[in-house]
Amino acid sequence: MNYNIDYKELYNTSPYGYFCSLPDGTIIDSNKRFLEFTNYKRKEVINIKKVTDFLSIGGKIYFQTIYSQKLNLTGTVEEINFDFIKKDGTKFPVLINSVEIKSKEGHHIFTQSTVFNISQRKKYETELLIAKKKSEELSNELTLRNKELQIGSELILQQKLQLEKFNQELENKNKQLSNFTHIASHNLRAPVSNLNSLMDFYNESTDIDDKAMLFTKFEIVIGHLTETLNELIASVKIQMDVNIKHDPVIFDVILSKTMGILEGKILESSAVITSNFAEVPNIEYPKLYLESIILNLLSNSIRYRSPNRIAKIHLSTEINNNEITLIVTDNGLGIDLKKHRHRLFKLNNTFHRHPDSKGVGLFMTKIQIETIGGSIDVESEVEKGTTFKVMLRKI
């Protein structure tokens, strides 16, 4: 098939504008598309207009410094952007591709240039820039909202933590008040019971020297009882504080005071009490609580001693895993932990038939220990003895 392609028509209707210019820039030919772009008639352009006549002042400077220099150096220019000025003075953006045509001798004869109108592309670019700006503004607004939400969330978290702290303080306060009630009833019962024991010894004794010795014991126990009452009164003030006061206390001093309170029971039972606080001789701890803990554990060891052997009770301290631990070991009746471990520290639970068993001491001891952040554990074997390990505090 023979195709008659009209290259002249193709030249004129191409989407590209085309013009041919002399080395001084005078346009000597153009296609119809270029004339349509600029709205000039052919006779108004050919051999009359120069390329720079379609450029603004800024465009002319760029033409001379960039376009012409590159064309002279390489003979070609690819996709340099200009704003061309139409006949009516309006502008439109173009991309120019130019090729320098030379003679056989190498002289620049003329330049062929194509002009692509990129108004639509610029419009798209402008729309994309506007969309990008809006997207950035939206992103910034979202970032700001997220920041505000984060601040709000942090405030809520802080309020939650404050409420949790307040609830914890309230819970501790309730425990302290409960402890105070038990201490007031339980700790006073021990010295009063001790006084009764001494009174029995005193009444049964006929020896004047023994009576005199026992009377001095009365003075000691009454002194401890007075001191305990004073400390209980002081503890009422402590309950009003947000935090429990920690005192510097010496284990030997606390044990000596406790043995004085229990002296009647110790004499009555002939219990042998030893101690070794060399590893941890002192501690920062609520004095009233520590006295109550040692009093409960020691009085329990005496109360639940075995009738088949002399009671031997040993108290010591040690450091394990950065924890200060108080250890109280006896060779008493022991506890069947398989049966009783789950209720060992519950209120009003007893494990031996003893007239003084109230099921309060271990319950109160555990509450006091946990209030300060510690814990208590027990190892025991029936008819061999019991060991309580009290984690008092971390170092």
Side-chain angles (χ1 to χ4, degrees), residues 7-52:
Y7 288 101
K8 185 68 174 177
E9 181 63 18
L10 180 62
Y11 169 73
N12 282 317
T13 58
S14 166
Y16 288 89
Y18 168 84
F19 67 83
C20 182
S21 59
L22 296 175
D24 66 354
T26 302
I27 297 174
I28 57 175
D29 191 18
S30 77
N31 67 350
K32 288 182 180 179
R33 186 66 68 192
F34 179 76
L35 297 174
E36 290 172 0
F37 286 164
T38 59
N39 285 338
Y40 281 99
K41 293 181 180 179
R42 186 174 184 80
K43 64 182 181 180
E44 296 173 319
V45 174
I46 304 305
N47 294 319
I48 294 177
K49 293 286 187 181
K50 293 185 177 180
V51 178
T52 53

Side-chain angles (χ1 to χ4, degrees), residues 113-124:
S113 300
T114 59
V115 178
F116 181 59
N117 188 340
I118 58 172
S119 296
Q120 197 62 37
R121 180 191 295 183
K122 285 287 186 181
K123 181 182 176 183
Y124 292 150

